[in-house]
Amino acid sequence: MASNPFDSDEDQSAASGEILEGFLCPICRADLKSIDVLTDHFARQHAEEEDTLKSVFNIFVKAKKKILNNFEDERGAAGSSSSTAGGPSANSNGNGADQRVLSNARSRFNVFNYMSKQQVGAECSHFEYFQSVRNPRLERYASETNKLIIRLHRLLKDLPSDSVQRKQHEQQTVAWLDGSSVKLCPSCAKSFHIARRQHHCRLCGGIMCNDCSKFLALENAMQLASLSTSRSEPLQQMHQGDRAIRLCEHCLWLLDTRQDMHESRTCRPLLVQVYEQIRQLQKDVTPDLDMYLKIINSLHEGETIFTITDASALRGKIGQVAETMDMRSKRILAIYCEPGSREESLKKAIRLSCIQAIKERMLSLPPLPDEALIQQIQERKRMETEQRILTEQRMAMEAYERYGLGATIIQSGGGLESGSFAQGSDLQSINNWSAPQASTSKSGLDDPLIEQINIIKGYIKQARQDMNFEVVETLELNLRELQREVYERQRKSQNSAASPEVEQQQQNQS
């Protein structure tokens, strides 16, 4: 047996010049069509060639692993392992399947690791190139437009009304091109003749025919040149056909672009103006909504800082704002636009938002309370306050009686009698309050506290007329502090007047 069984076959195939393909047996050169059949053929017909059998089997096992790992076909691996004959070959195939699964898992793990560590791809910014192309073009357009506006200003500054003098003035301001060598119109490429005369642009001096000429009204030209309307009054005497400046298409395009840019920066569409009015109304009415709720809660709690009249006036103001917002939103909806455009959708959205804001914030306010109910609540609170004051007085009298001073204080008419002075919430509103005299020798007009109270009364009245209820609340609290101070002074004066009588009675008793 030769050491290399393939030598003889290679020599024969090389000698004959024939190329054989397929699953060929290396010994008998039979085409067995598949790996399994070739393996069975070797096991049966060439069992004595053990070395050759092992080498061929190892080659096919490696090839099978390569194919199965590439296509990840587990079923094919199982089928091929079951179809392999012989114990050693089956064990070898089973180990190959395990190695294939581990290899696939390892390859997937490596792919995932590569994906997690993948860096951002290459980036290339074209912004600098865009600026390098755009900026010179804008500068060229801007410089050309500025030159045209300067020429337009010089042309219109002293423009004569006479046609002959006007033509001379235009030629002196801007040099006209010589048309002797120009046979065709640069715009339409039509030849010039008697019926098609040459015309010049008044700003650049270029040549064009009458059909390619553009005209700029003097009013618009005065506006572009930033000249006052008083300078254009002598020009009103010109003929209607002469009240325009002949321009070429390029110069007119540059001037129109500058005018559109100026209008886009200064002018605002009607839709924007009305929407800003609606937003301002919503911003202004927000404090009034909060104040209305505060007034209603204050009335239900029995406080006398605000009145039902205040709540009614504020509610009327909120209703007027709601009507104004509704009218503004309807006006936006009536502005003409193209059907199905984004502007139409925007108008509908604004209208719906206004309706929603009016319903949720203005129409959902609590109604005005019943006046009789509010009076009952205030009367009940006043009685509770009086009861509390009487209770405090009784407790104070009991404390004085322990030292034997209760009867003398009651007889002296001191500050513990009911109705002698007011405390805390027992003070009523300014409408039914009159300051008592601190002493019989000093009138109320001479008392600075009384004078300050009268001044605050006027401020409160003015604030109520202006419906500035935050100021009303602050002034009412200040007024009550002054009232409390006046009552305290009255009580001290009464106690000081009664103290000598109490001392005399105590000396008589002793």
Side-chain angles (χ1 to χ4, degrees):
M1 183 177 64
S3 61
N4 188 0
F6 297 98
D7 291 343
S8 60
D9 297 332
E10 290 177 354
D11 295 340
Q12 294 176 3
S13 61
S16 62
E18 182 182 2
I19 299 175
L20 301 178
E21 297 180 354
F23 294 92
L24 303 178
C25 178
I27 297 177
C28 61
R29 300 175 58 82
D31 188 3
L32 300 177
K33 305 299 181 182
S34 66
I35 298 176
D36 299 333
V37 176
L38 179 60
T39 304
D40 294 338
H41 172 75
F42 251 92
R44 295 176 183 178
Q45 302 296 332
H46 307 286
E48 66 280 2
E49 301 290 339
E50 294 181 358
D51 297 336
T52 305
L53 179 62
K54 290 181 180 181
S55 62
V56 172
F57 181 76
N58 291 333
I59 291 173
F60 283 112
V61 167
K62 292 180 180 179
K64 186 186 292 185
K65 290 180 182 179
K66 184 72 173 178
I67 294 172
L68 294 178
N69 287 336
N70 290 337
F71 290 97
E72 297 183 357
D73 190 1
E74 297 181 356
R75 295 182 180 179
S80 63
S81 61
S82 61
S83 61
T84 304
S89 62
N91 294 332
S92 176
N93 194 14
N95 295 331
D98 296 338
Q99 293 177 0
R100 180 188 58 78
V101 173
L102 294 175
S103 177
N104 289 339
R106 188 180 298 107
S107 62
R108 287 194 298 269
F109 181 73
N110 295 335
V111 169
F112 292 151
N113 287 343
Y114 177 75
M115 291 175 63
S116 63
K117 297 179 181 179
Q118 183 179 5
Q119 301 296 330
V120 179
E123 295 182 357
C124 180
S125 176
H126 299 279
F127 183 70
E128 295 182 357
Y129 172 74
F130 171 75
Q131 284 186 329
S132 64
V133 175
R134 181 174 181 268
N135 291 339
R137 184 174 299 179
L138 291 180
E139 291 178 0
R140 179 169 60 86
Y141 286 155
S143 61
E144 290 182 6
T145 307
N146 293 334
K147 291 179 182 179
L148 294 181
I149 291 176
I150 293 173
R151 293 175 183 175
L152 187 63
H153 185 274
R154 293 168 53 191
L155 190 67
L156 296 176
K157 186 177 181 181
D158 299 321
L159 184 64
S161 58
D162 184 65
S163 59
V164 178
Q165 297 179 358
R166 177 180 176 180
K167 186 174 181 180
Q168 294 177 358
H169 174 72
E170 291 172 350
Q171 291 179 354
Q172 293 176 359
T173 304
V174 179
W176 290 6
L177 295 178
D178 186 11
S180 59
S181 61
V182 180
K183 304 299 181 182
L184 302 178
C185 176
S187 300
C188 61
K190 294 181 181 180
S191 61
F192 293 111
H193 46 78
I194 299 176
R196 184 178 291 107
R197 298 174 55 247
Q198 292 181 350
H199 297 278
H200 291 80
C201 175
R202 269 48 177 180
L203 294 182
C204 67
I207 298 175
M208 67 274 186
C209 64
N210 185 65
D211 296 336
C212 297
S213 300
K214 305 297 179 180
F215 294 92
L216 178 64
L218 283 179
E219 291 78 7
N220 297 335
M222 298 290 291
Q223 184 178 2
L224 284 169
S226 301
L227 294 175
S228 60
T229 56
S230 60
R231 296 179 179 271
S232 62
E233 291 179 358
L235 303 178
Q236 300 294 334
Q237 302 176 359
M238 293 183 178
H239 190 267
Q240 186 67 26
D242 296 335
R243 293 175 57 184
I245 300 176
R246 187 186 297 271
L247 301 176
C248 64
E249 185 177 2
H250 179 68
C251 293
L252 184 62
W253 177 79
L254 290 175
L255 294 178
D256 288 342
T257 303
R258 175 64 64 86
Q259 183 69 18
D260 295 340
M261 184 183 301
H262 178 72
E263 291 179 355
S264 64
R265 293 178 179 177
T266 57
C267 299
R268 294 180 302 168
L270 181 61
L271 175 63
V272 176
Q273 298 178 13
V274 180
Y275 179 71
E276 288 181 354
Q277 295 176 3
I278 293 175
R279 294 292 299 172
Q280 187 64 33
L281 289 173
Q282 291 180 349
K283 183 179 179 181
D284 295 340
V285 81
T286 301
D288 295 335
L289 296 173
D290 299 336
M291 180 56 65
Y292 179 79
L293 296 176
K294 186 175 182 180
I295 292 175
I296 295 298
N297 295 331
S298 176
L299 291 175
H300 283 295
E301 291 177 0
E303 297 179 356
T304 57
I305 296 178
F306 303 105
T307 61
I308 298 180
T309 305
D310 299 338
S312 178
L314 191 57
R315 186 179 180 88
K317 180 181 177 182
I318 294 173
Q320 292 178 359
V321 174
E323 292 179 1
T324 306
M325 288 178 57
D326 185 65
M327 293 176 59
R328 295 286 189 274
S329 62
K330 288 181 180 179
R331 184 181 178 187
I332 286 179
L333 202 61
I335 297 175
Y336 175 77
C337 65
E338 294 294 333
S341 61
R342 296 183 62 184
E343 186 178 358
E344 184 179 8
S345 302
L346 178 61
K347 293 192 302 181
K348 291 181 180 179
I350 294 175
R351 172 63 178 168
L352 292 177
S353 64
C354 289
I355 294 175
Q356 185 178 4
I358 292 173
K359 288 183 177 180
E360 293 182 355
R361 303 193 60 188
M362 301 180 185
L363 299 182
S364 61
L365 292 174
L368 292 173
D370 188 12
E371 187 174 0
L373 177 62
I374 297 301
Q375 291 179 357
Q376 291 178 4
I377 295 174
Q378 292 178 355
E379 183 66 21
R380 184 173 65 250
K381 187 171 183 180
R382 187 183 64 82
M383 294 177 63
E384 291 176 356
T385 304
E386 290 181 355
Q387 186 66 29
R388 187 181 69 252
I389 293 174
L390 293 175
T391 304
E392 292 176 357
Q393 291 177 355
R394 186 174 64 251
M395 295 174 63
M397 290 171 61
E398 293 177 357
Y400 281 116
E401 287 176 355
R402 296 176 184 176
Y403 300 97
L405 300 176
T408 58
I409 293 176
I410 293 175
Q411 293 177 2
S412 64
L416 296 177
E417 293 183 0
S418 177
S420 61
F421 63 95
Q423 292 181 355
S425 302
D426 189 43
L427 297 174
Q428 300 299 318
S429 64
I430 62 172
N431 297 326
N432 56 6
W433 180 86
S434 60
Q437 299 293 333
S439 63
T440 57
S441 62
K442 189 175 182 179
S443 62
L445 296 176
D446 296 335
D447 193 348
L449 290 180
I450 302 301
E451 185 178 359
Q452 187 69 22
I453 287 174
N454 293 330
I455 294 174
I456 292 179
K457 280 184 179 181
Y459 289 158
I460 291 175
K461 183 178 179 181
Q462 184 65 33
R464 288 184 187 276
Q465 292 178 358
D466 298 339
M467 287 189 290
N468 194 351
F469 295 104
E470 293 182 356
V471 178
V472 170
E473 182 181 9
T474 304
L475 292 177
E476 282 280 4
L477 296 176
N478 294 337
L479 180 62
R480 295 191 176 192
E481 291 292 334
L482 292 175
Q483 292 174 358
R484 195 172 292 112
E485 182 65 24
V486 170
Y487 282 118
E488 289 292 336
R489 288 174 54 180
Q490 178 190 13
R491 187 181 64 174
K492 290 179 180 179
S493 62
Q494 292 177 356
N495 292 337
S496 62
S499 59
E501 298 179 359
V502 174
E503 293 178 358
Q504 185 65 30
Q505 290 178 3
Q506 292 179 354
Q507 291 177 1
N508 295 335
Q509 291 178 1
S510 62

